[in-house]
Amino acid sequence: MFSLKRTTSDNSDFNVLVTQLDAYLAILDGDDHAFYAQFNKSSLLKNALVCYENTIPVGIGAYKEYDANTAEMKRMFVLPEHRNKGIATIILNELENWATEENYSISLLETGCLQHEAISLYKKLGYTIIENFGQYAGIENSICMKKNLISKK
């Protein structure tokens, strides 16, 4: 049984999983990790989510305001041994619902080109690849995606 907890980046369970996410990304990003790490600071996120399987924290996600209409999804991660159970979908759906409650109409995200499972998931959930935005413009290893949240209201 899965449960979700809306929280902030101060949550200790969120931070334990962020540490594991950062270690995973350091391997995946290789030499580019320092560049990406500067944009993935988890402190001061007021919209963070922890997914629990029974009482065990198994996944996280968050978003922050990109602009008045747009939420940028951040810090999506599910522990490797808990993948392929639909947890990432549960987390992202809840983040999108939360963002619509706060009157955001667009969701943006960035992922690495080597994160094939994430890219497939985002496409399955209605995200489309767009031109890289903001700090990711011109970065070949980044894939940026967008989804209109209006239909969720």
Side-chain angles (χ1 to χ4, degrees):
M1 181 172 128
F2 299 113
S3 61
L4 299 171
K5 180 177 183 178
R6 290 183 180 187
T7 187
T8 68
S9 57
D10 292 332
N11 178 282
S12 60
D13 290 335
F14 183 83
N15 283 300
V16 166
L17 291 179
V18 162
T19 300
Q20 294 182 52
L21 167 61
D22 288 340
Y24 171 75
L25 291 176
I27 294 166
L28 204 59
D29 294 341
D31 293 340
D32 294 330
H33 184 67
F35 170 78
Y36 290 111
Q38 68 182 323
F39 304 118
N40 287 327
K41 303 294 185 215
S42 295
S43 61
L44 305 177
L45 289 171
K46 67 178 188 126
N47 301 95
L49 194 66
V50 180
C51 181
Y52 296 87
E53 185 169 10
N54 300 311
T55 60
I56 309 297
V58 296
I60 56 170
Y63 71 86
K64 67 178 188 175
E65 182 172 285
Y66 183 78
D67 64 33
N69 298 314
T70 308
E72 181 183 356
M73 300 299 156
K74 306 289 290 178
R75 315 288 24 214
M76 288 288 300
F77 180 69
V78 175
L79 290 171
E81 62 271 23
H82 292 276
R83 293 181 184 162
N84 299 312
K85 297 179 179 181
I87 295 169
T89 299
I90 292 167
I91 292 169
L92 190 54
N93 282 335
E94 181 65 13
L95 289 171
E96 291 172 355
N97 289 337
W98 197 359
T100 59
E101 289 169 18
E102 292 195 338
N103 296 314
Y104 294 105
S105 57
I106 298 168
S107 173
L108 290 179
L109 59 83
E110 180 274 341
T111 192
C113 65
L114 296 177
Q115 296 184 29
H116 305 291
E117 294 89 355
I119 295 164
S120 294
L121 171 72
Y122 298 141
K123 285 181 176 179
K124 182 178 92 176
L125 296 178
Y127 284 79
T128 57
I129 295 175
I130 59 170
E131 185 173 325
N132 287 4
F133 62 87
Q135 64 267 25
Y136 307 109
I139 305 301
E140 290 182 20
N141 291 329
S142 286
I143 294 179
C144 292
M145 304 179 91
K146 176 182 178 180
K147 180 177 180 179
N148 185 339
L149 299 177
I150 301 255
S151 61
K152 291 190 75 82
K153 287 187 176 182

